[in-house]
Amino acid sequence: MKKIEHLGIAVKDLEASNRLFEKLFGTPHYKMEEVASEGVKTSFFLAGPNKIELLEATTPDSPIAKFIEKKGEGIHHIAFEVDDIKAEIARLQKEGFVVLNEEPKRGADNKWVAFLHPKTTNGVLIELCQERV
Ligand code: ZN
């Protein structure tokens, strides 16, 4: 894994949170994107070199809706950039991690993504992501 690519934060109201994080970082979000297959609407901010993704549920059975129902708003996942997502998935499965997506899927921000089940990573949802070329 190369570096933290972004942090994902689950929010109830993306418009309100966009205004809040714009005040916090002193700069507006640079992109919004809906990932219909995941039932989420996202927006992205840069704080210096660090990327923050805000996620709002668009359907009641979206993973974000379920997360907020159980835990409330807050940090939802940590995303790590990898060079070869398929090789990382295979490596991590061999190491005993539960990978939620055996095949990488299309995520927001032009990425291939796969998630590790938090039960095998100390309660932290981890996203692997690779730039789509
Ligand atoms: Zn993410």
Side-chain angles (χ1 to χ4, degrees), residues 114-125:
F115 288 91
L116 304 186
H117 197 290
K119 76 181 176 193
T120 56
T121 49
N122 286 152
V124 180
L125 179 62

Side-chain angles (χ1 to χ4, degrees), residues 3-7 25 27 30 44-53:
K3 61 165 188 169
I4 292 180
E5 213 281 333
H6 63 270
L7 292 181
F25 295 140
T27 179
Y30 64 92
F44 288 90
F45 288 83
L46 281 175
N50 300 304
K51 192 188 288 180
I52 304 293
E53 174 185 33

Side-chain angles (χ1 to χ4, degrees), residues 39-92:
V40 295
K41 218 160 57 178
T42 64
S43 68
F44 288 90
F45 288 83
L46 281 175
N50 300 304
K51 192 188 288 180
I52 304 293
E53 174 185 33
L54 304 182
L55 305 112
E56 179 197 64
T58 54
T59 62
D61 60 346
S62 145
I64 295 300
K66 288 180 188 156
F67 177 87
I68 288 177
E69 208 173 280
K70 265 198 255 172
K71 298 190 170 174
E73 294 180 297
I75 293 184
H76 176 257
H77 64 270
I78 303 178
F80 291 93
E81 187 180 336
V82 300
D83 281 328
D84 182 342
I85 194 166
K86 288 190 174 178
E88 274 300 288
I89 289 170
R91 182 182 74 81
L92 292 167

